[in-house]
Each structure stands twice: as structure tokens, then as C-alpha cells.
């Protein structure tokens, strides 16, 4: 099967789409950054998640992925499915945090268990990406005369 060069980026794209959609207005959560921060610090899980999204996008605050991750982690501690999905997608993508397939799977499975619609798709993409990773010691390409794939090409 021919690998789709866009697949590694699908996780990042799904993250971006979800983050944009996830900021749907919840009347109990303010858009004022100071009030949003106060609500988040007081333990309001939706405020924690929305603040993470704001820091991730640089919306009303200076973009800061460290703060975005910290607020996502606080929201995941309260089982927020969108936060779990986003954290899993970030670990699966590896552009904001170091790629960690095990952590990606952990968070995406938690989100999926809570009914998050995009999580099963992200898990499928993660599985396909993992299947395309060659085991250690095996070099890409086809064997040539007198060699095996494990030996590489002369």
C-alpha cells in the first residue's frame, strides 16, 4: 500500500479543527482573560480547557504552549474529554511536545471512552502511523541482488 503523505498531519489538523470548534460559547465561562484565569484557578474545568485553547492559539494572550499544556493537564485531571483528546493529539503529533505514542494512546482512549467523536479517528490514524514505522535495524527500501531488507542495500 502506498503511504499517504498527509496522514502524519491529519492528527495536527484534527487538533486545530477541534480547538477552533471547542471554544463554542459556554455562558458560565467568561471570555475575559483575568476572569477566565480566576475561574480556571478555582478549579472550573471548562475554564481550564478554554484557557488552554486561548494560550495554544494566542487568543487574547501571548501564545504559550507550556501554559496551554499545563491547563490541558489540569482539565484532564478532571476528565474533560476535549482536553484528553487535545493532549493525546499533541503527543501523537509531536510538534508541541515530544512525540509519545503511549501517552497519545492513553489520552485518546480516555477521550474515546467518554464518547469524544474524533478520538476513535485519531486512534486509527495513530495505529496507521505506528504500523508504518519500521522496526529497529531495518532499513527502508527494497533488497537488491544478494541482500535482504534487514541488511540494506550494498
Amino acid at each position: 500500500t502506498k503511504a499517504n503523505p498527509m496522514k502524519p498531519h491529519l492528527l495536527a489538523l484534527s487538533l486545530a479543527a477541534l480547538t477552533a470548534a471547542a471554544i463554542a460559547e459556554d455562558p458560565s465561562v467568561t471570555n475575559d482573560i483575568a476572569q477566565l484565569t480566576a475561574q480556571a484557578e478555582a478549579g472550573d474545568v471548562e475554564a481550564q480547557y478554554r484557557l488552554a485553547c486561548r494560550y495554544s492559539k494566542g487568543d487574547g494572550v501571548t501564545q504559550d504552549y507550556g501554559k496551554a499544556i499545563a491547563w490541558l493537564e489540569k482539565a484532564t485531571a478532571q476528565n474533560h474529554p476535549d482536553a484528553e483528546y487535545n493532549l493525546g493529539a499533541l503527543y501523537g503529533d509531536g510538534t508541541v511536545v515530544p512525540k509519545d505514542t503511549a501517552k497519545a494512546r492513553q489520552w485518546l482512549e480516555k477521550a474515546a471512552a467518554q464518547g469524544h467523536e474524533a478520538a476513535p479517528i485519531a486512534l486509527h490514524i495513530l495505529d496507521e502511523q505506528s504500523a508504518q514505522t519500521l522496526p529497529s535495524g531495518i532499513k527502508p527500501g527494497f533488497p537488491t541482488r544478494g541482500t535482504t531488507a534487514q541488511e540494506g542495500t550494498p
Side-chain angles (χ1 to χ4, degrees):
T1 353
K2 192 173 185 180
N4 181 346
M6 290 303 293
K7 282 192 180 174
H9 303 291
L10 288 177
L11 213 48
L13 291 174
S14 64
L15 170 67
L18 178 73
T19 300
I23 304 185
E25 297 307 311
D26 177 346
S28 67
V29 180
T30 182
N31 276 322
D32 177 82
I33 293 299
Q35 289 179 351
L36 188 60
T37 301
Q39 288 176 326
E41 288 172 347
D44 182 323
V45 68
E46 192 60 35
Q48 291 170 344
Y49 177 66
R50 298 242 335 257
L51 195 56
C53 293
R54 301 287 291 271
Y55 276 112
S56 175
K57 292 177 16 176
D59 181 12
V61 294
T62 301
Q63 189 174 40
D64 185 330
Y65 290 120
K67 287 183 180 178
I69 298 298
W71 285 113
L72 277 177
E73 289 173 343
K74 288 180 186 293
T76 61
Q78 296 190 62
N79 301 312
H80 191 286
D82 288 334
E84 292 167 347
Y85 171 81
N86 278 281
L87 198 55
L90 289 172
Y91 279 117
D93 182 56
T95 55
V96 174
V97 294
K99 187 173 180 90
D100 187 326
T101 304
K103 284 184 179 179
R105 177 168 306 289
Q106 169 195 345
W107 291 116
L108 292 171
E109 285 177 351
K110 285 185 175 193
Q114 293 189 68
H116 193 284
E117 292 179 9
I121 297 165
L123 281 164
H124 178 75
I125 293 168
L126 193 64
D127 288 340
E128 285 192 356
Q129 288 175 348
S130 296
Q132 292 175 7
T133 303
L134 295 173
S136 176
I138 297 180
K139 297 179 182 173
F142 293 98
T144 56
R145 288 180 238 148
T147 65
T148 65
Q150 286 77 12
E151 295 168 345
T153 56

